[in-house]
Amino acid sequence: MTTGLRERRKQEARQAISGVAMEMFAAKGFDEVTISQVAEAAGVSKMTVTNYFARKEDLVFDRAEVIIRSLADAVAARAPGESLLTAIRRDFAERIAAGDVTLGVPTPAFARMVQNSHVLTGRRREIADLCEQALGDAIAAESGVDDPQQRIVAAQLASVHRVLFAEGARRILDGQSRDEIRQILAEAARQAFDLLEPSLGDYGVKA
C-alpha cells in the first residue's frame, strides 16, 4: 500500500469515528457518552479511538491543530511588504466569506453542545490560547527576538478571532441565520482591524 493511500484510509477512518461520536454527543450530550460507547458504535476498539484522538474532546474539535496553526500560517504566507495585521485581516475576510465554521459560525447543535459542557468550553479556550501562542512563536521566530511586546501584538491580533467566535456562537444560539452572522462577523472584523491599524498597520512588515 502506498503512503498516500495509507494516509487517506487513516483519514477516512478518523472521520468515520468522529462522525459517529458527534451523532452520539448531539443525541445524548458530550458528558454522557464514553469513549468505549463511541468505539462500540463505530465498530472499532477503544484503543483505535484513542490512537486517533488522544482526548475525548478531540472527537469534537477534530480540526484543532489546523485552528491552532491558522494565524501563524497566515502570517508566514504573507507577501513581501505586507504587515502582520494585513495578512490576518485578509485571511479572516477570505475564510468568513467561504463559510469557515471555525471562525464562529458553527451549527446550532454544535454551539449548544459546547455551551452545555465545561470540558468542551475549556478546550475551546485552550485552542484559542494555543492559537495566540503559535502566532507569538511565529513572530518571534521570524524576527529572531522573543520579547513581551511581540506577545502583546500577537494577543491583540488573535483577540479579534477569539471575541468574534464567541459572538458568532452566541448569535447562533439566539436563532440568527448563519448567512446573517457571517455578514455581521465580517463587518465586525473590518471595524476591529481598522481600530488596530493605526498602531499595528506597519508592524512586522515582511522584507
Side-chain angles (χ1 to χ4, degrees), residues 174-185:
D174 285 345
Q176 287 187 263
S177 73
R178 297 172 79 187
D179 286 342
E180 182 181 6
I181 293 171
R182 274 193 288 271
Q183 295 175 5
I184 291 170
L185 296 187

Side-chain angles (χ1 to χ4, degrees), residues 88-165:
I88 290 177
R89 177 200 285 265
R90 185 187 65 253
D91 180 70
F92 187 99
E94 291 174 351
R95 288 165 59 198
I96 199 70
D100 189 336
V101 296
T102 67
L103 290 184
V105 199
T107 64
F110 186 94
R112 194 171 298 110
M113 178 176 58
V114 174
Q115 182 190 53
N116 291 338
S117 170
H118 292 303
V119 173
L120 293 180
T121 54
R123 177 55 174 160
R124 176 58 214 170
R125 293 191 199 99
E126 182 183 27
I127 290 170
D129 289 343
L130 290 172
C131 181
E132 177 188 315
Q133 180 179 327
L135 176 59
D137 292 343
I139 296 171
E142 183 178 290
S143 66
V145 178
D146 191 352
D147 60 35
Q149 203 65 37
Q150 292 171 320
R151 297 291 169 175
I152 291 170
V153 169
Q156 289 177 308
L157 293 171
S159 68
V160 177
H161 291 66
R162 181 170 56 252
V163 171
L164 293 187
F165 181 92

Side-chain angles (χ1 to χ4, degrees), residues 82-86 196-203 205:
E82 193 170 55
S83 69
L84 298 171
L85 185 149
T86 300
L196 293 174
E197 185 73 34
S199 58
L200 298 181
D202 295 325
Y203 187 92
V205 173

